[in-house]
Amino acid sequence: LLELGYTPGDPFPEDEDVKDALSKVIENTSFCGDLLLRFPDVSHKMFKANPNWKLIIKWAISYVNETRILVKPDTTLLELMAQEMKVVPRSPDYVNPYKAQIQQEAEKAKRELEEENQKAIEKA
């Protein structure tokens, strides 16, 4: 894209090669975001083993955001992706429900609630 002369924020390109390159960057960034958010534990291990990938993802998030082509659901994906990667500060209420630790905590809370309900039934 840089070699083809497209700068984020420019009007949507007319040239087919530029359109193709831009769509690949946007699609692959979104796909990577889906994988990162749904499989965070595995993804972070991969990024730790391949530090250059994190740089590429940071660039892609920034580049795609600057194009201003995406609409709200997709921009939300990029925002969550940036928070998960710690590219931007995490909001106080940020939680990735797919993290193993979060799932374990949820299962524990569910079991405790079920135990409390069972005790209440037994007392009644």
Side-chain angles (χ1 to χ4, degrees):
L1 279 172
L2 300 175
E3 290 174 7
L4 294 171
Y6 182 78
T7 303
D10 284 352
F12 194 78
E14 299 289 329
D15 181 89
E16 290 300 318
D17 290 336
V18 177
K19 281 184 195 179
D20 185 50
L22 181 59
S23 69
K24 286 180 181 176
V25 168
I26 292 171
E27 290 170 7
N28 287 329
T29 302
S30 295
F31 178 66
C32 184
D34 280 337
L35 291 175
L36 172 66
L37 293 171
R38 294 180 192 277
F39 304 102
D41 300 311
V42 172
S43 297
H44 286 294
K45 286 179 187 175
M46 290 173 45
F47 285 120
K48 189 173 183 177
N50 301 284
N52 289 338
W53 291 5
K54 188 171 183 177
L55 294 173
I56 292 168
I57 293 301
K58 284 181 179 183
W59 174 85
I61 292 168
S62 175
Y63 194 90
V64 172
N65 268 330
E66 290 176 23
T67 65
R68 303 201 192 292
I69 291 174
L70 301 180
V71 293
K72 187 61 177 168
D74 297 319
T75 58
T76 300
L77 171 72
L78 288 178
E79 291 168 11
L80 294 172
M81 186 180 178
Q83 289 182 61
E84 183 66 34
M85 293 288 298
K86 297 182 182 175
V87 172
V88 298
R90 289 183 175 172
S91 67
D93 59 343
Y94 177 80
V95 174
N96 185 334
Y98 296 103
K99 281 194 168 190
Q101 177 185 356
I102 300 301
Q103 290 177 347
Q104 291 167 354
E105 290 171 4
E107 282 297 317
K108 181 181 177 186
K110 182 180 174 184
R111 281 192 307 273
E112 290 172 356
L113 183 61
E114 288 171 351
E115 289 172 7
E116 287 177 20
N117 286 339
Q118 186 62 34
K119 288 177 184 177
I121 290 171
E122 291 171 1
K123 285 183 181 180

